[in-house]
Amino acid sequence: MRTFFNVEDLGDLRKALAEAQEIKANRYGYQHLGKNKTLLMIFFNNSLRTRLSTQKAAMNLGMNVIVLDVNAGAWKLETERGVIMDGDKSEHLLEAIPVMGSYCDLIGIRSFAGLTDREFDYAETIVGQFVQYSGKPVFAMETATVHPLQAFADLITIEEHKATARPKVVLTWAPHCRALPQAVPNSFAQWMNAADVDFVITQPEGYELDPKFVGNARVEYDQKKAFEGADFIYAKNWSCPGVTRPEDYGKIISKDMSWTVDEEHMSWTNNGKFMHCLPVRRGLIVTDDVIESKNSLVIPEAANREISAEVVIKRMLETI
């Protein structure tokens, strides 16, 4: 596996889930794969779970790890071609990338959407340059449009906690005070479509995700109807994806607090489990009583980020 951005990169999901459980039972069983190998983790944006879980996963596999915060101590990087670099950016990404590649065996990259230019974001311009010019296997630690390590961890968590063979899983939009990318909901939708679940997406009008991620999911604008009989509720805010309203891409077009997941919302479900990728804005996305309830999976979900990362890194090491 040379790249990891989408669910299809992982191949057979049943085998991947079985491998995840094997690794969870024996996290240090493949250290020979990472001996004298180096992972370079590059962060254009802040991180807590992704940074810690991915570094821990690489260490479980016996790897050396280098962490680069591009915006804290490195030269400011230009990402556009054909520009006159007379501003505050001292180095071009096209020189920086092969230099980075010369110091490592694998690259993990985290770069959020700018939320101003949909074409630029959805072309995955920055991570695409790392794939093209680094000469090394590259995996996503969240990009402008996807967060596959999170979605894989979400699927592992659902498999571990489901009470029925084919659970009903609902992705619900919730309000937020800031404009957020669509990467997490995009990947969650993509992975749920590939899994054996009854998948529903619910959001206000204007927040429709890109059809390539929605796939075969049922889209329901009535949140109560979507929640009815649900086994898992995955709450997440996202800004306008610009599908039906291109001029509103990246904007907040609703702050409707009736979409906040509270006890009444959860009462519509089939004793549903609550999920969120974290960090979460309490009182906006979810109320205290829901996120602190016995049906909240946010902590085991976050813990599984180590496992999803270890499966991906292990598979990449096996190919180099």
Side-chain angles (χ1 to χ4, degrees), residues 17-285:
L17 287 167
E19 188 171 350
Q21 292 309 312
E22 177 194 347
I23 282 176
K24 196 166 187 176
N26 183 17
R27 300 172 198 231
Y28 307 103
Y30 295 93
Q31 290 197 340
H32 62 283
L33 292 174
K35 184 178 181 181
N36 297 328
K37 298 289 194 307
T38 299
L39 168 65
L40 173 59
M41 299 167 57
I42 304 167
F43 291 89
F44 286 85
N45 302 90
N46 294 336
S47 174
L48 189 152
R49 276 149 297 278
T50 297
R51 180 189 297 256
L52 297 179
S53 62
T54 308
Q55 186 167 356
K56 178 63 162 59
M59 292 167 64
N60 291 351
L61 291 164
M63 297 191 77
N64 303 310
V65 181
I66 301 173
V67 179
L68 175 66
D69 287 298
V70 171
N71 297 318
W75 298 113
K76 288 189 177 181
L77 296 175
E78 177 60 64
T79 61
E80 300 282 353
R81 301 179 73 103
V83 298
I84 297 174
M85 292 175 57
D86 58 356
D88 65 342
K89 296 176 179 177
S90 304
E91 185 163 9
H92 202 288
L93 202 61
L94 295 183
E95 284 79 63
I97 289 172
V99 170
M100 295 177 192
S102 70
Y103 301 144
C104 65
D105 300 282
L106 299 180
I107 294 176
I109 179 78
R110 182 176 177 93
S111 177
F112 289 175
L115 296 180
T116 57
D117 184 338
R118 189 182 195 280
E119 183 178 353
F120 181 88
D121 287 345
Y122 273 71
E124 293 289 9
T125 307
I126 292 177
V127 296
Q129 290 176 337
F130 276 90
V131 172
Q132 185 173 0
Y133 298 112
S134 71
K136 298 297 165 66
V138 177
F139 65 91
M141 300 191 300
E142 189 168 0
T143 72
T145 67
V146 293
H147 197 350
L149 289 175
Q150 179 65 54
F152 187 16
D154 296 334
L155 180 58
I156 293 168
T157 307
I158 289 171
E159 284 294 308
E160 290 176 335
H161 291 87
K162 69 182 183 181
T164 59
R166 193 170 189 269
K168 180 178 179 180
V169 179
V170 177
L171 169 64
T172 181
W173 179 91
H176 203 282
C177 56
R178 296 179 58 195
L180 299 183
Q182 300 99 47
V184 169
N186 281 346
S187 277
F188 187 76
Q190 184 186 60
W191 284 68
M192 290 304 106
N193 274 306
D196 187 17
V197 302
D198 177 14
F199 182 48
V200 180
I201 302 173
T202 184
Q203 82 273 314
E205 290 189 11
Y207 280 98
E208 294 83 2
L209 297 172
D210 191 294
K212 72 179 181 181
F213 296 110
V214 173
N216 296 321
R218 287 186 288 131
V219 177
E220 176 57 67
Y221 295 97
D222 184 328
Q223 192 185 29
K224 183 174 183 179
K225 185 181 290 186
F227 274 46
E228 289 175 352
D231 299 293
F232 296 90
I233 298 296
Y234 196 102
K236 184 70 179 77
N237 173 267
W238 60 90
S239 60
C240 177
V243 174
T244 58
R245 304 178 186 182
E247 68 277 10
D248 287 337
Y249 173 66
K251 296 180 180 178
I252 297 173
I253 58 175
S254 175
K255 292 185 178 180
D256 187 351
M257 294 291 288
S258 71
W259 284 76
T260 300
V261 180
D262 58 17
E263 282 191 324
E264 180 184 357
H265 285 71
M266 296 304 292
S267 74
W268 304 333
T269 72
N270 179 31
N271 194 32
K273 302 289 194 292
F274 177 80
M275 301 179 69
H276 188 278
C277 62
L278 301 182
V280 65
R281 299 264 185 158
R282 291 184 179 218
L284 289 175
I285 300 290

Side-chain angles (χ1 to χ4, degrees), residues 4-16:
F4 177 72
F5 296 101
N6 301 297
V7 64
E8 55 265 25
D9 295 330
L10 209 55
D12 189 322
L13 272 184
R14 289 172 298 180
K15 291 181 179 178

